[in-house]
Amino acid sequence: MARKLKMRIWRGDADTGALQDVTVEANEGEVVLDVIHRVQATQMGDLAVRWNCKAGKCGSCSMEINGKPRLACMTQVASYGDEETITVTPLRAFPVIKDLVTDVSFNYKKAMEIPSYEPPANLKPGEARMQQVDVERSQEFRKCIECFLCQNTCHVVRDHEENKKSFAGPRFFIRIAELDMHPLDILKNRKQKAQEEHGLGMCNITKCCTEVCPEHIRITDNAIIPMKERVVDVKYDPLRWLGTKIRKREGIV
Amino acid sequence: MSGVFSPTRAKIKERTLRTDKWWLQPAITFGVLISFVIYATFRAFENKYYFAEPLVSPFYSPCLSTSCVEGASLFGQPFNNQYFGIGISPALFILIFPLGFRMTCYYYRKAYYRAFWMSPPACAVAEPHTKYTGETRAPLILQNGHRWFFYFGLIFNVLLTYDAILAFRDAEGHWGHVSVGTLVLLLNATLLWLYSMSCHTCRHTLGGRLKHFSKHPVRYKLWSWVSVLNHKHPTFAWISLFGVAFADIYVRNVASGAWTNFYFF
Amino acid sequence: MEFLPTQIDITKEPMEVGPTCHYVMGGVEVEPDTAAAVGVPGLFAAGEVAGGMHGSNRLGGNSLSDLLVFGRRAGMGAAEYVKSAKAVPVSDAAIKAAAERIQAPFTRSGGENSYSLHAELQEITHNLVGIIRTGAELKEAIEKIAEIRKRSANVSVAGGRKFNPGFHLAFDLDNMLLVAESTAKSAISREESRGGHTRDDFPQLDSKWRQVNHIASFDGKEVTVRKQPLPALPKELFDLFDVHELEKYMTADEIAKGGAR
């Protein structure tokens, strides 16, 4: 049951660009990436689009479809009305390279700024042990496919270019949370760094990161807010702070 | 030009290309919250119709000033009814606590940052502000004090539960009676407990702050239960807000004589 | 079970399934210890691009251990190689020829569409070099692939060189043709069924064929395939198996020898 689908595809580069109207055939069961590929093969041979697995697991085909940050391979054409025009644009928080492809290197720079896992110095390879309940906690954050839809939708950087230097973004807050909740990680000051260097305080928990996550990671409830509470423990709660001076309290380092 | 109109970004003139009714949710939130604020302000300053033996309005409990009507003050009257010649409603001495709890609540923050401050109005809709510093400086850095309001909120939950228990009496003070008012106060107290127990700070305090769940099985269990409630925190936030408003409306109408508090037995 | 993006509940309604190519068992022939490509100094290969690792069928999860082990070996092999290797001299003429070759698709107009050729090649390999193969179909595939190769010399591309997938595909096509032709010619040579290779005209596993690999090479025009004997199983590994288990796969001669010493 093929049908004619009306689309508007943003084409251009860093200097200029515009939405271009196309009509393309769409078959039953197809996703937006399929029809973009058909446009590419039949009408716009040089249309730039990043994609890889077509199964929602590689995080490459992140784009904005009718204004919403989504994975094109996981967006059914049938989820739009028969007469609806589907508008696709590149991610709008990152510099555009060409057409639907953006430069996401901001995220890789931020990734490098996060201090990595630090086990106790005397822990030999093969000796690390974790209980299942502790593993499960960070398992959720490990589902991240790094599509960077959360980074793209977060208004802290999407709407304020100047905040990029001081804000790591939701993807890296779940990384920090995962490490801070890791029973074998002993790095001190992860919480302070989260607040002072990675811009956790910039987040106003408006939850758009959680809304767009294709892996349904509860970024705000399970990573950002717990990290904010942990920061309060070490920075804004005099009683807790006093408690750490009197006797060692677990988790507050 | 900043944000989505920055020089390096794709040149798209629209603030958003969303085609759904993204403005509806913040509009509803704005409408409901503003109605509550207007009603609560009116009631806080009204200074009457808050007590009808054995029912007391949650806006006026505990009633701590010398202007409180007889029977409403269970914990003494440490405050005067006026300071510097200005009459002060007894509600004003206490409302800062439940108000502060809700103002600093992680869910309400999302709701009003979106609906009132439009920061952002909805996901992937450009916000109107040119500068943004989040919760890093005064006054918003005070949001980090949510846990203190949580602790005070627990005290209020105990007091309002006590008020609900007292409502198992008739107007003459005899125990063992149940009226519509009893159920209203009981429901209000229950919803407030659900709202408090599902709170993110509660979840953090009970177990979230631990690094090893495995070493603290009891706290892990508590954390798991609270995590289930926490999923529904936004729902509890709304229905408990309606619960409080309704409890006050009920008591006000009974106290003013408009409604009769029907006794089942 | 629910497949969310398609909203099909397979406990209630039928689901369409079909075979796809998800892994290539063959690949660049490498030295096992250094992952250095045989006959191409300075080229190292590990993972799916390297051949010989998984026998006739890769088991699920094995490519991960392949990556970890042979990725490390390739890295170490390459590091060792650069210590002694000198830069390979490249003539100006070769550089000029390469540049012209890259520019060529832009200079043609009205030529072949790289996407269409790609789709046709997919169709040929899917239908004729797929799960169940026959000699006649493979022969047909080889002829058709040669036809596509001819047409691919006349690809024309629109737009510029910046992030142009049609342009990239024009060159990827050469590699796809190489893989398709090598696969088809190796498959037609192997007159038995084994692992991922099923010949309808030779449905039985034949232990003689286990002793042979097919090595494909390309002279710039077409692929030629030659047989290369497989090293015999070393004795220490041979001894780890129950001999009756090995009898299913090895010839009587191999069993009698009892592994290589």
Side-chain angles (χ1 to χ4, degrees):
Chain A
M1 284 209 309
R3 67 180 176 96
K4 293 285 173 203
L5 176 72
K6 287 199 283 288
M7 292 186 85
R8 287 195 302 164
I9 300 176
W10 192 87
R11 303 217 52 196
D13 54 24
D15 302 320
T16 176
L19 289 166
Q20 291 187 11
D21 290 296
V22 288
T23 306
V24 62
E25 203 164 272
N27 300 314
E28 196 185 347
E30 282 188 326
V31 292
V32 171
L33 186 60
D34 291 325
V35 289
I36 289 175
H37 277 152
R38 188 163 299 119
V39 170
Q40 198 182 43
T42 57
Q43 306 175 47
M44 298 173 174
D46 58 338
L47 174 66
V49 54
R50 254 195 212 111
W51 64 280
N52 215 301
C53 74
K54 288 190 173 184
K57 289 289 170 230
C58 77
S60 304
C61 62
S62 301
M63 57 183 73
E64 299 193 6
I65 304 172
N66 280 1
K68 282 191 183 172
R70 305 187 64 101
L71 295 179
C73 72
M74 299 299 275
T75 306
Q76 287 276 313
V77 172
S79 60
Y80 300 95
D82 282 347
E83 293 306 310
E84 204 172 338
T85 301
I86 298 180
T87 305
V88 276
T89 71
L91 299 177
R92 292 182 71 183
F94 306 124
V96 67
I97 293 174
K98 190 181 156 218
D99 304 339
L100 301 175
V101 174
T102 52
D103 174 2
V104 294
S105 54
F106 160 75
N107 302 294
Y108 302 121
K109 286 194 201 88
K110 291 295 165 187
M112 284 192 281
E113 289 168 11
I114 308 297
S116 49
Y117 167 62
E118 194 180 306
N122 58 359
L123 190 74
K124 305 262 184 322
E127 282 184 356
R129 292 291 179 275
M130 268 171 91
Q131 298 298 309
Q132 187 59 29
V133 284
D134 295 319
V135 175
E136 276 161 9
R137 198 180 197 186
S138 53
Q139 207 82 332
E140 178 187 13
F141 307 140
R142 282 275 169 184
K143 289 194 300 182
C144 175
I145 58 172
E146 299 214 313
C147 61
F148 302 130
L149 288 177
C150 58
Q151 302 285 92
N152 171 62
T153 200
C154 179
H155 71 115
V156 177
V157 286
R158 184 185 175 94
D159 293 338
H160 305 279
E161 182 73 24
E162 67 282 4
N163 285 342
K164 278 186 180 171
K165 58 182 183 298
S166 53
F167 184 72
R171 192 272 165 266
F172 300 105
F173 294 146
I174 68 173
R175 175 74 181 141
I176 293 169
E178 179 200 333
L179 290 169
D180 204 58
M181 293 170 186
H182 196 299
L184 293 175
D185 180 77
I186 54 154
L187 184 72
K188 305 264 186 234
N189 298 331
R190 234 181 243 291
K191 301 171 186 64
Q192 279 95 337
K193 275 180 194 273
Q195 186 77 350
E196 289 156 17
E197 293 172 23
H198 306 304
L200 184 67
M202 307 275 270
C203 167
N204 68 346
I205 50 172
T206 35
K207 283 199 164 177
C208 287
C209 49
T210 306
E211 270 184 39
V212 299
C213 180
E215 283 291 313
H216 306 292
I217 301 170
R218 300 181 68 232
I219 303 172
T220 319
D221 284 334
N222 288 349
I224 296 182
I225 293 173
M227 279 315 296
K228 280 190 173 244
E229 284 292 314
R230 283 161 181 247
V231 167
V232 176
D233 283 344
V234 290
K235 279 182 72 96
Y236 305 113
D237 188 337
L239 285 188
R240 282 244 191 272
W241 178 82
L242 201 64
T244 62
K245 297 291 150 190
I246 297 164
R247 74 186 174 93
K248 192 177 162 290
R249 295 188 66 134
E250 195 200 322
I252 303 189
V253 286
Chain B
M1 288 304 234
S2 182
V4 290
F5 306 115
S6 301
T8 58
R9 316 266 184 104
K11 304 277 179 297
I12 298 166
K13 62 180 187 302
E14 287 87 353
R15 283 176 62 223
T16 182
L17 286 165
R18 279 181 68 166
T19 50
D20 57 337
K21 296 190 181 76
W22 57 263
W23 43 267
L24 187 63
Q25 189 60 47
I28 293 172
T29 306
F30 182 86
V32 174
L33 280 183
I34 204 85
S35 314
F36 181 83
V37 167
I38 291 167
Y39 176 75
T41 309
F42 156 70
R43 279 295 282 153
F45 285 93
E46 196 183 25
N47 200 2
K48 57 180 177 186
Y49 305 139
Y50 53 82
F51 184 70
E53 190 77 61
L55 309 176
V56 62
S57 158
F59 284 10
Y60 285 82
S61 177
C63 206
L64 297 175
S65 93
T66 50
S67 73
C68 291
V69 298
E70 199 193 332
S73 296
L74 299 169
F75 302 94
Q77 300 184 331
F79 296 105
N80 292 331
N81 62 349
Q82 63 171 37
Y83 287 91
F84 311 110
I86 303 162
I88 295 177
S89 161
L92 300 181
F93 295 111
I94 55 161
L95 277 187
I96 179 67
F97 295 105
L99 180 72
F101 184 40
R102 282 179 196 261
M103 284 293 283
T104 59
C105 161
Y106 287 101
Y107 169 70
Y108 280 108
R109 271 145 80 179
K110 169 202 165 182
Y112 65 74
Y113 283 141
R114 283 196 187 191
F116 285 75
W117 195 239
M118 297 200 286
S119 176
C123 302
V125 178
E127 62 179 56
H129 312 283
T130 48
K131 274 251 162 267
Y132 174 85
T133 54
E135 300 180 336
T136 54
R137 42 179 98 164
L140 292 182
I141 199 166
L142 295 175
Q143 304 280 31
N144 287 306
H146 184 48
R147 61 182 56 177
W148 304 105
F149 288 109
F150 167 68
Y151 301 145
F152 280 111
L154 291 182
I155 298 173
F156 276 77
N157 287 355
V158 172
L159 295 175
L160 294 182
T161 308
Y162 184 56
D163 286 341
I165 293 168
L166 293 181
F168 281 92
R169 300 172 304 171
D170 63 12
E172 281 75 46
H174 300 112
W175 286 94
H177 298 276
V178 171
S179 65
V180 175
T182 317
L183 299 182
V184 169
L185 292 194
L186 204 58
L187 181 70
N188 178 41
T190 310
L191 292 176
L192 288 174
W193 277 113
L194 285 171
Y195 172 56
S196 302
M197 296 320 290
S198 63
C199 153
H200 293 85
T201 288
C202 176
R203 187 174 180 230
H204 172 77
T205 309
L206 286 179
R209 37 173 295 271
L210 297 172
K211 225 170 164 46
H212 298 79
F213 277 158
S214 48
K215 286 188 187 168
H216 303 268
V218 176
R219 289 181 69 181
Y220 170 64
K221 202 84 217 156
L222 290 171
W223 177 86
S224 308
W225 289 334
V226 168
S227 297
V228 174
L229 288 179
N230 183 254
H231 268 262
K232 303 221 178 304
H233 193 51
T235 312
F236 293 138
W238 283 116
I239 59 172
S240 68
L241 191 74
F242 293 132
V244 169
F246 183 69
D248 179 73
I249 289 169
Y250 188 81
V251 174
R252 184 178 186 276
N253 279 291
V254 172
S256 71
W259 296 350
T260 308
N261 185 23
F262 174 77
Y263 273 86
F264 298 103
F265 53 87
Chain C
M1 203 174 168
E2 205 179 352
F3 292 82
L4 261 181
T6 53
Q7 280 130 24
I8 290 173
D9 181 352
I10 61 167
T11 61
K12 297 196 175 72
E13 48 194 314
M15 180 174 77
E16 199 178 314
V17 291
T20 69
C21 171
H22 76 126
Y23 200 88
V24 177
M25 254 85 77
V28 178
E29 187 191 8
V30 293
E31 300 286 348
D33 295 327
T34 58
V38 175
V40 189
L43 179 67
F44 293 80
E48 189 175 353
V49 78
M53 180 64 215
H54 300 287
S56 58
N57 207 354
R58 179 186 62 99
L59 301 180
N62 275 8
S63 50
L64 182 60
S65 30
D66 175 6
L67 289 178
L68 292 171
V69 173
F70 290 91
R72 180 169 183 272
R73 288 185 181 189
M76 295 197 305
E80 201 55 43
Y81 172 80
V82 292
K83 280 183 199 159
S84 58
K86 293 196 178 65
V88 182
V90 181
S91 70
D92 287 348
I95 294 172
K96 191 159 168 278
E100 276 168 7
R101 182 172 164 263
I102 287 171
Q103 198 56 36
F106 292 109
T107 59
R108 298 184 200 111
S109 64
E112 297 280 352
N113 176 339
S114 50
Y115 295 100
S116 311
L117 288 183
H118 180 207
E120 284 182 49
L121 182 61
Q122 282 181 320
E123 197 71 16
I124 293 165
T125 49
H126 182 86
N127 291 339
L128 305 175
V129 201
I131 314 271
I132 311 292
R133 299 157 172 176
T134 66
E137 284 184 351
L138 289 167
K139 188 167 169 290
E140 188 188 343
I142 291 164
E143 285 160 10
K144 287 190 166 173
I145 291 167
E147 203 52 41
I148 302 264
R149 188 184 290 289
K150 262 190 219 140
R151 287 165 62 198
S152 75
N154 190 33
V155 165
S156 64
V157 167
R161 286 217 299 265
K162 186 179 184 181
F163 215 118
N164 183 344
F167 171 53
H168 298 167
L169 187 56
F171 293 97
D172 289 346
L173 258 183
D174 290 346
N175 301 328
M176 294 176 190
L177 284 163
L178 190 63
V179 171
E181 194 178 340
S182 303
T183 307
K185 287 189 170 172
S186 302
I188 204 167
S189 308
R190 185 172 284 275
E191 298 182 330
E192 62 150 356
S193 292
R194 163 183 304 276
H197 169 72
T198 301
R199 283 284 294 263
D200 207 24
D201 39 359
F202 299 96
Q204 298 302 319
L205 185 90
D206 183 340
S207 296
K208 283 204 292 285
W209 281 102
R210 201 199 59 79
Q211 298 171 294
V212 178
N213 274 159
H214 283 109
I215 308 294
S217 54
F218 185 58
D219 62 3
K221 289 194 179 69
E222 65 167 344
V223 169
T224 42
V225 168
R226 67 181 165 81
K227 282 184 190 171
Q228 178 171 291
L230 206 62
L233 190 66
K235 184 171 179 350
E236 68 265 28
L237 294 183
F238 186 98
D239 291 342
L240 293 175
F241 291 93
D242 175 5
V243 74
H244 299 301
E245 187 62 27
L246 292 178
E247 279 166 358
K248 292 182 199 164
Y249 304 103
M250 291 183 166
T251 60
D253 277 0
E254 282 179 282
I255 299 288
K257 276 184 196 152
R261 275 160 229 274

